[in-house]
Amino acid sequence: MSAAREPGTGAVVRPGYVRPVDFKRGLVDMSHGAGGRAMAQLIDELFVTCFDNPWLRQANDHALLAAPAGRIVIATDSHVVSPLFFPGGDIGCLSVHGTVNDVAMAGARPLALSAGFVLEEGFPLSDLRRIVQSMAGAARDAGVPIVTGDTKVVERGKGDGVFINTTGIGVVPEGIELSGDRARPGDAILVSGTLGDHGVAIMSLRENLSFETTIESDTAALHGLVAALIEAVPGVRCLRDPTRGGLATTLNELAKQSAVGMVVDEGALPVRAQVNAACELLGLDPLYVANEGKLVAIVPRERAQAALAALRAHPLGREAAIIGEVIEDPHHFVQMNPMFGGRRVLDWLSGEQLPRIC
């Protein structure tokens, strides 16, 4: 029997040898989603290597987790951001942070994530590895393993590079009750930091805008901040991360759920000067621009200062602010007191302000 030789090099190789995936120059092709050797090799050399943990090493089509005490929370999110890489992050870390935060807004401790990839034929494997490594780093930093997943490949021109779906599970301890329908008139409204950073970072890159300092996405996992807030202020009513549609949309969602109105003070809203400037150039309102590392908290009025102190004591909440209050309103309007007097309604968006920002 003649010895096998590696294609392209002529080197003698052992029977059954499979050439390593070329992550420098290689491209995704249809075989990477076809269920055969190429797909298994991509999974082993990329996803299992980067996401390595005991559940993935079992090599099952599922992850078997011990059932914790408490109530289970589950959240899922699909990520289609364009461009895939942006100042302060990329679609990889964003997909981890977004789902971890959705779980955390219930007051839950995130336990595990799944990850589903839809890859386009011809997508550079170097970019895919960069994305997966970013996801792995974000999951490691958050302490939330990616325990199961799936990969599909679509024909060239039908996938725009890569889409990622992540699903997270977590557990809410007994005694914690957070929900969007719990806001009451008189409650205080807080945000954990500056608004609009993520959406403006994306749009600035698309429009080739330059500023004296780079506007970076605020993408971050917020479960540690949530835990610190709940420990300091057990009576927190609602938490929500103001992603698509920004702060204004989030407040409208909460006002509708709780059948209340809300009023915020323009002068109290933390918005970076660069973000305001970019929004003016682009014709955007920073209150409707997406955030990926901020939360909105609604707490009883008498606990507002304690909540503010707890947020500011955490690295992700140093620029937290009390921005308004919940009021009685049969119309469930969200309004703003402008710095120059009068009152403005912050209505729902009537169209698409920022496409493909998360």
Side-chain angles (χ1 to χ4, degrees), residues 121-164:
E121 181 186 15
F123 187 69
L125 286 169
S126 59
D127 285 348
L128 179 60
R129 181 169 62 173
R130 181 178 168 190
I131 289 166
V132 172
Q133 288 173 338
S134 177
M135 287 184 73
R140 220 169 19 247
D141 292 344
V144 185
I146 298 170
V147 299
T148 189
D150 183 56
T151 304
K152 294 293 188 295
V153 179
V154 297
E155 294 86 350
R156 191 184 298 268
K158 295 185 178 181
D160 200 16
V162 57
F163 300 145
I164 303 175

Side-chain angles (χ1 to χ4, degrees), residues 43-358:
I43 290 171
D44 287 342
E45 294 184 23
L46 181 61
F47 298 111
V48 174
T49 298
C50 290
F51 297 155
D52 185 43
N53 59 65
W55 298 276
L56 280 182
R57 276 184 247 124
Q58 293 172 5
N60 294 318
D61 285 338
H62 59 268
L64 187 64
L65 306 176
R71 291 158 295 160
I72 294 294
V73 172
I74 185 168
T76 192
D77 206 353
S78 296
H79 305 271
V80 297
V81 64
S82 176
L84 299 174
F85 304 96
F86 46 83
D90 53 61
I91 192 174
C93 65
L94 185 68
S95 67
V96 171
H97 295 155
T99 299
V100 165
N101 292 346
D102 286 345
V103 171
M105 292 306 113
R109 176 172 62 89
L111 298 176
L113 296 168
S114 71
F117 293 80
V118 177
L119 308 175
E120 183 184 6
E121 181 186 15
F123 187 69
L125 286 169
S126 59
D127 285 348
L128 179 60
R129 181 169 62 173
R130 181 178 168 190
I131 289 166
V132 172
Q133 288 173 338
S134 177
M135 287 184 73
R140 220 169 19 247
D141 292 344
V144 185
I146 298 170
V147 299
T148 189
D150 183 56
T151 304
K152 294 293 188 295
V153 179
V154 297
E155 294 86 350
R156 191 184 298 268
K158 295 185 178 181
D160 200 16
V162 57
F163 300 145
I164 303 175
N165 173 272
T166 43
T167 297
I169 60 170
V171 59
V172 180
E174 293 301 327
I176 295 177
E177 297 287 345
L178 299 178
S179 177
D181 62 359
R182 294 175 62 83
R184 299 292 180 265
D187 287 348
I189 306 169
L190 297 87
V191 294
S192 63
T194 54
L195 302 170
D197 297 349
H198 174 73
V200 168
I202 298 292
M203 291 303 296
S204 296
L205 189 61
R206 288 182 192 162
E207 302 298 329
N208 293 317
L209 299 181
S210 60
F211 300 91
E212 291 183 1
T213 58
T214 301
I215 300 173
E216 293 190 347
S217 170
D218 59 348
T219 181
L222 296 174
H223 56 303
L225 179 64
V226 169
L229 175 61
I230 291 174
E231 183 178 5
V233 185
V236 175
R237 309 263 203 212
C238 315
L239 293 176
R240 190 69 57 88
D241 54 336
T243 52
R244 280 175 299 175
L247 175 69
T249 298
T250 295
L251 294 182
N252 273 285
E253 291 171 351
L254 294 173
K256 180 180 178 181
Q257 281 183 265
S258 292
V260 296
M262 297 185 181
V263 178
V264 299
D265 296 318
E266 183 179 19
L269 297 169
V271 182
R272 299 185 195 279
Q274 303 98 307
V275 170
N276 262 327
C279 285
E280 289 181 8
L281 285 171
L282 296 168
L284 303 174
D285 186 334
L287 300 186
Y288 290 91
V289 175
N291 312 270
E292 290 292 346
K294 303 298 190 308
L295 62 79
V296 175
I298 298 180
V299 305
R301 179 186 300 161
E302 65 273 14
R303 296 184 177 176
Q305 290 300 324
L308 182 63
L311 290 172
R312 288 182 173 175
H314 192 279
L316 294 177
R318 289 173 181 157
E319 296 175 278
I322 300 171
I323 62 168
E325 66 174 338
V326 180
I327 62 171
E328 290 187 12
D329 182 353
H331 303 293
H332 313 151
F333 287 157
V334 176
Q335 304 174 73
M336 183 173 73
N337 292 324
M339 289 186 284
F340 301 107
R343 186 165 279 189
R344 167 192 166 196
V345 174
L346 299 178
D347 205 353
W348 297 84
L349 280 172
S350 58
E352 184 182 42
Q353 185 185 34
L354 290 178
R356 304 282 303 278
I357 47 80
C358 61

Side-chain angles (χ1 to χ4, degrees), residues 3-26:
R5 296 184 179 274
E6 183 180 6
T9 68
V12 177
V13 297
R14 67 184 182 276
Y17 170 82
V18 178
R19 189 176 186 181
V21 176
D22 183 358
F23 287 111
K24 289 185 178 181
R25 295 174 296 275

